[in-house]
Amino acid sequence: MRFRVLAAVAVAAVLTIGLSHGHTRADTPTVRIAVLKFGTVNWLMETVKTQGLDRAQGFELDVVPLASGAATRVAFQAGDADMLVVDWVWAMRQRTRGLDLRFSPYSSALGALVSGSVIDLCDMAGKTVGVVGGELDKSWLILQALADRDCGIDLATETDALFGAPPLMSRQLQDGAVDAVSTYWHFVAKLEAGGMRPVMRVRDALDSLGIAPAPPMIGFVWDTARTEADRARAFLAAIREAGEVLATDDAAWDALRPLMRAGSNAEFEALRQAYRTGIPAPWTEAQTDSAGKLYELLATRAGAAFSDQAGPFDPAVFQGP
């Protein structure tokens, strides 16, 4: 019954797209992107629009905000969006179904294990930990691998893990209901602004595990059969220009402040700095190699559960337009 309800919500979200977004002028190509309604990618999309970077590249950006990641994937698969923001593991899975999906990084920012009391990863045995993203969350699996190797601890069995949404897990940590939280980068920034400390950053964990440079996980994905190379290149050029604006222009962030939902000036500044740190450089062969190593690590830690949702590793997804 729960599956049917979720499916109905996703389908309704896709149907709503056609009702809530009009068409642009016939002489201007459009790139329609499905995004999580409150995701950080909206900061970038808003910058593209307000700076006129889409028009400068010869297209019009049409942002379709949806309530969940599942809804963005349904919209993309239904052909109601040209692009979406998702991890490359999902894109590889779709390639096994005959789709020529490509990936370009949106952010190189990664999450962390955060606490107000735990100092070291090796102190986690017996602790209660909040985990964002579920049992197969990639950051959680990476932290497990490092704790296993360096501490002889199986975080999956030697901690009391609670799984939930990022705001809930942050609140659990602040209220003292959990000892630590494994969460996404922007929630890490907010927690740090409130006085919490990173026990282990995922980027540092990857480096320690020999996976460097750390490959960005989240990016823009499109189907070459539906989005021609010129449109994809124009979109990515606008994205790079918007990234340069956000990296250097403090004034550009003033317009984004309402979208950021920062609870204080300290949170705002922490979010801005964390975002800037994560603005990605162009994808490299070294990152493809690192992505392959990370894929092997995830497959080893999660076994068939990961392989079923990922499909085989396919470096062609990183070839770009």
Side-chain angles (χ1 to χ4, degrees):
M1 181 65 178
R2 182 173 178 268
F3 173 78
R4 292 179 182 174
V5 171
L6 290 174
V9 170
V11 170
V14 173
L15 292 175
T16 302
I17 294 172
L19 299 176
S20 60
H21 293 268
H23 296 288
T24 58
R25 294 199 313 263
D27 59 346
T28 304
T30 300
V31 174
R32 176 172 283 193
I33 181 167
V35 300
L36 189 62
K37 185 175 182 180
F38 297 112
T40 60
V41 70
N42 289 285
W43 310 349
L44 188 60
M45 298 299 101
E46 182 69 13
T47 303
V48 170
K49 296 288 286 183
T50 58
Q51 299 283 330
L53 302 176
D54 53 343
R55 290 287 184 166
Q57 291 294 334
F59 72 97
E60 182 160 341
L61 180 63
D62 186 5
V63 180
V64 182
L66 296 170
S68 69
T72 65
R73 293 190 292 272
V74 170
F76 177 79
Q77 290 171 312
D80 290 309
D82 304 303
M83 298 232 178
L84 80 163
V85 177
V86 72
D87 62 52
W88 46 259
V89 172
W90 183 86
M92 288 182 182
R93 175 61 174 166
Q94 306 313 305
R95 286 181 65 86
T96 67
R97 298 170 178 170
L99 301 178
D100 187 17
L101 300 195
R102 303 296 175 87
F103 171 95
S104 182
Y106 152 60
S107 175
S108 62
L110 298 170
L113 181 70
V114 182
S115 178
S117 58
V118 179
I119 303 301
D120 189 85
L121 184 65
C122 294
D123 297 329
M124 284 298 297
K127 298 293 195 296
T128 300
V129 57
V131 178
V132 171
E135 294 182 67
L136 296 181
D137 176 70
K138 298 170 188 63
S139 294
W140 181 231
L141 293 173
I142 292 164
L143 293 170
Q144 287 180 46
L146 185 62
D148 185 11
R149 191 196 70 178
D150 288 359
C151 313
I153 296 173
D154 183 353
L155 292 179
T157 61
E158 296 184 54
T159 63
D160 182 11
L162 306 177
F163 302 95
L168 174 61
M169 291 297 98
S170 292
R171 177 54 60 189
Q172 293 287 297
L173 180 60
Q174 292 163 334
D175 291 346
V178 299
D179 299 301
V181 164
S182 172
T183 192
Y184 303 145
W185 68 266
H186 43 304
F187 288 92
V188 172
K190 288 185 175 184
L191 288 169
E192 284 190 274
M196 299 294 176
R197 299 182 303 275
V199 178
M200 175 60 64
R201 297 187 187 276
V202 173
R203 179 177 299 278
D204 293 337
L206 287 172
D207 185 67
S208 181
L209 290 165
I211 301 175
M217 289 299 303
I218 303 296
F220 302 103
V221 169
W222 67 98
D223 185 349
T224 62
R226 298 195 335 238
T227 302
E228 61 270 20
D230 286 348
R231 264 202 309 160
R233 279 192 287 266
F235 172 84
L236 295 176
I239 291 301
R240 286 192 297 272
E241 291 172 0
E244 292 171 4
V245 170
L246 293 178
T248 58
D249 186 357
D250 286 352
W253 286 89
D254 293 336
L256 301 179
R257 192 155 187 161
L259 297 177
M260 297 168 68
R261 298 186 294 170
S264 65
N265 285 334
E267 280 192 7
F268 171 77
E269 291 172 4
L271 286 167
R272 182 175 62 189
Q273 182 56 42
Y275 183 95
R276 284 174 163 172
T277 300
I279 294 174
W283 189 273
T284 65
E285 285 298 320
Q287 287 175 320
T288 298
D289 292 341
S290 292
K293 294 177 183 177
L294 176 55
Y295 179 94
E296 290 180 9
L297 181 149
L298 296 172
T300 299
R301 296 300 309 182
F306 175 79
S307 299
D308 288 346
Q309 75 171 20
F313 184 78
D314 184 354
V317 76
F318 305 118
Q319 288 180 352

